[in-house]
Amino acid sequence: MCVNLAMNHFLPFSIFINNEWQNSVSGKVFPVYNPSNGEKICEVQEADKADVDKAVQAARLAFSLGSVWRTMDASERGRLLSRLADLVERDRTYLATLESLDSGKPFLSAFYVDLLGTIKTLRYFAGWADKIHGITIPMDGDYFSFTRNEPIGVCGQIIPWNFPLLMTAWKLAPALCCGNTVVLKPAEQTPLSCLYMGSLIKEAGFPPGVVNILPGFGPTAGAAIASHMGIDKVAFTGSTEVGKLIQEAAGRSNLKRVTLELGGKNPNIIFADADLDIAVEQAHQGVFFNNGQCCTSGSRVYVEEPIYEEFVRRSVERTKRRVVGSPFDPTTEQGPQVMTGQQNRVLEFIQSGINEGARLECGGKALGLKGFFIEPTIFSNVSDDMRIAKEEIFGPVQQIMKFKTIEEVIERANNSDYGLTAGVFTKDINKAMTVSTAMQAGTVWINCYNALSSQCPFGGFKMSGNGREMGEYGLREYSETKTITVKLLEKNS
Amino acid sequence: MHVSENRQRTMSNESRDGQQRENKLSTRPLDTEMPMPVSDLKIEYTKIFMNNEWHDSCCGRRIPVYNPATGELLCEVEEGDKEDIDKAVKCARQAFQLGSPWRRMDASERGRLLCKLADLVERDRQILATLEAIDSGKLFLVAYFVDLVGTIKTLRYYGGWADKIQGKTIPVDGEYFTFTRHEPIGVCGQIIPWNFPLLMFAWKIAPALCCGNTVIIKPAEQTPLTALHMASLIKEAGFPPGVVNIVPGYGPTAGHAIAQHMDIDKVAFTGSTDVGKIIKKAAGNSNLKRVTLELGGKNPNIVFADSDLEHAVEQAHHGLFFNQGQCCLAGSRVFVEEPIYDDFVLKSVERAKKRVLGNPLVPGVDQGPQIDKKHFDKILELIESGRREGAKLECGGGAWGQKGFFIQPTVFSDVTDDMRIAKEEIFGPVQQIMKFSSIEEVIRRANNTHYGLAAGVFTNDINKALTISAALQAGTVWVNCYNAMSSQCPFGGFKMSGNGREMGEYGLQEYTEIKTVTIKIPQKNS
């Protein structure tokens, strides 16, 4: 497998600092597995605190006043990001293959969704680079006042395993667009596509030290980033549990700026007047997409009483048709969970659902002997106090519950510490406006689900996160505003 | 855009990291790779471009296109008149219909098309620079390193804006949900000049297309060739038919038809103030189409005694003589503070005398011909008026060479504000140098004009810099530089130098129509 991967493409299994590939200071390596058969793909150099220190030093140097990166035209930063997008497009098939192999997501999904999203994100932020404006301000007194929106500095970025490449783009693009330098840690389960990006970053012409990539584990490399005194900002996408640790570490160390994209237990509300076929299909994809491993997963489907039975029936029928198999089979809709630990966790949730009295409509078991597959599973008659209704499962398990009134469903939907996304299916304009306003969620979808695009801000209310990524809003999180006030001899408007 | 400045900057970047060079749009000649004009260039595109197809003119007439350096006829292009404009408007209107490919396209995809167009311009950079040089008389190397770079960067800049044109949601009083849509205006007529034919083409279509409009563009009759080559690239890039339509023609016929048209929603014009007034009148007379104008200038360049003299002389020199003096931005009134006046004049004359005239296609030449006989005659007439009215002719003062419309670089000193050369836009290689004593005086004199396009200030004193830049009635003020332009910065005139701004984020406003949508809701919550 290693040989095939490396053929025609330079795929490094080491640490990327200053545009060079390096071994870990400790000499340690860690294994990377293929979740569709459990076999080891390769070993990768394991970064720890000492490597983080080296990377921070490189990133800090690349950020110093007078450096190539700091003196570059903003439009030229944009050109580099565009060039990177072109290179990703050139190597699209290779990257999709790598991503599929490493994460278990279906190849066609990687090719058409993850790769497209990655390219578009890079291009979107490439366009922003020379449009980040400060303002001039009519302040009181004989002064001329203006703001500079400067880069923050060295940014630590920690990304998850569910969309390894896409999350690499979501993190790098705004950070580099705004002129920062970066120390990026991909998830230990899925470092490969991110490492390949390192070679493309070098090929595109980013100066050394601007992007540094450190494969490693959370408690070691991740923790080193979160508590580093030389890192100005940390951005993390992952579980709420770890997000809390990161924010704590930031407070304890140097008050580095923190943005978090965490978990969700997202309500998807289906009214009786909705187009039922569309709602069933959207709710199905909304929960099962990416093997259920999405922070946006619509894992609490609230269905209005009159159509409840029919909705459950159609959802079950649709789910029974869901094709589970090898990610490289073009007919596959669902691949394996990312690793054995995740698979066990999901199975445990399923058991709790059964134990707590939900009705298991279909699925419920692991699939196959090799790899970490789980049957697509539906529970109906779920009540809000069950674990499967409260906790983030992160697997192919759909919960369907019944509701009567709009006030009731709003209250139940909001009754969660999470607040990432929500869906509403209705043809009635008033219901649509009322529910979307009332949801405590960073993104609300009306008559669609998972409709994401790089132009739209994305992030969580409450414990689903802090801050927003994507869109113009995403720039704020990577800028530090400086106000400059100059004495004038005399003011004129 | 200042060639010498670009050279300095790129040199220092190169010394830091040679790797950068490969990926940057090259803005200076590398020693081993001086770009050369295409030899025996075939002029391929000479017809009217509508719906991504080439058409003959309805009236059957053709426009002769000349090389101003030699006077030779380059080719003839189809001449568009009112009927052709009517046809073009129909195509553009059709392309703008609700449900059309252009209207339904992702905004980001519009941006991709503009970026693709930039790539194609980069691919054909040598061809376009050659066409531009033989058609307009500008130096090939300047076309290659300034006009072409500006064109490519402008297309890319607006390629980036397309999916970032955002409306707002608004906390309105009452039980309503209100938001704005920033819609394209519709069919835009665009009339461009002959001094920067290709660059002006990009300045016009990029923001218009970025915002989703469809366009009918009339290049100047003297310089249609690069616009028509762009037509082929627009088709190749994949813009849907009817989105861009290019109709070469004359002002009083095709231009007028655009300004008067009842089905054109907006007109944008760059050219003389005289014609700008006609366009605005026509807009009012017809359908109140939205109007933006980029017109003339008689731009003050103010040099204080505490400035870096060598730097100021050089900047003032290029600020006037760039592009054969044919710039709306030309710094044609150089106000020099008394203590350094004589020295400044001496050095400016010395600098002007070094200026080499010749064939625009040959390296080592600094100045090409003026665009045509009409402008050539006008410049000579104004030079004559300078002599007559008592200015001191320091150097130059007449025509040069046997062929073409060349004029010697000319410097007048002891110019007073009431002279014609101090008041009227010359649009030629004629520099006026005047003396001033105090800051209040020079502000008053600099502002004493109906124009208000640009201004320059040379001083190392922070207070003078801030005071003057606030006081000057000009759309762009340069401090310790001149002609420093870039697509990110808004550009346009105060007073009779124009209406509206082009470039930067501000440029989007002129190509957008705002719609407010207000929806009744059962109950408001903040």
Side-chain angles (χ1 to χ4, degrees), chain A residues 45-92:
Chain A
Q45 294 291 319
E46 182 188 332
D48 202 325
K49 186 176 183 315
D51 307 279
V52 173
D53 287 341
K54 279 172 67 181
V56 171
Q57 207 171 21
R60 178 64 57 197
L61 194 66
F63 189 72
S64 32
L65 283 175
S67 72
V68 178
W69 188 237
R70 293 301 296 273
T71 56
M72 192 182 281
D73 280 342
S75 59
E76 190 57 28
R77 291 200 306 261
R79 282 300 295 145
L80 290 174
L81 281 167
S82 281
R83 183 126 171 76
L84 185 58
D86 291 344
L87 294 174
V88 171
E89 197 169 19
R90 180 193 70 191
D91 293 350
R92 187 176 179 179

Side-chain angles (χ1 to χ4, degrees), chain A residues 168-190:
Chain A
T168 299
W170 273 40
K171 292 286 181 284
L172 290 182
L176 300 176
C177 164
C178 293
N180 298 281
T181 58
V182 158
V183 174
L184 176 67
K185 187 198 91 57
E188 62 272 22
Q189 297 89 338
T190 54

Side-chain angles (χ1 to χ4, degrees), chain A residues 253-364:
Chain A
S253 55
N254 66 342
L255 288 176
K256 55 174 65 61
R257 289 96 183 87
V258 180
T259 48
L260 305 169
E261 298 277 353
L262 308 175
K265 191 68 185 177
N266 310 297
N268 197 354
I269 303 167
I270 323 284
F271 284 94
D273 74 330
D275 179 323
L276 195 55
D277 281 328
I278 290 180
V280 165
E281 183 64 20
Q282 290 287 308
H284 173 83
Q285 299 295 352
V287 77
F288 290 108
F289 177 61
N290 207 45
N291 319 332
Q293 297 166 144
C294 287
C295 49
T296 60
S297 177
S299 49
R300 289 186 285 156
V301 185
Y302 289 97
V303 183
E304 202 178 4
E305 191 162 31
I307 52 159
Y308 176 80
E309 300 292 343
E310 182 60 14
F311 188 94
V312 171
R313 193 188 67 71
R314 292 195 201 190
S315 297
V316 172
E317 185 199 36
R318 176 57 179 96
T319 300
K320 282 179 169 164
R321 279 190 279 123
R322 195 168 181 77
V323 179
V324 184
S326 157
F328 291 101
D329 181 338
T331 63
T332 292
E333 289 177 278
Q334 181 178 314
Q337 307 313 115
V338 78
M339 62 188 193
T340 180
Q342 284 295 316
Q343 185 193 34
N344 288 339
R345 192 163 167 266
V346 175
L347 291 171
E348 199 239 333
F349 270 113
I350 292 174
Q351 193 52 53
S352 80
I354 294 168
N355 293 346
E356 290 181 334
R359 173 148 86 221
L360 181 66
E361 294 277 353
C362 64

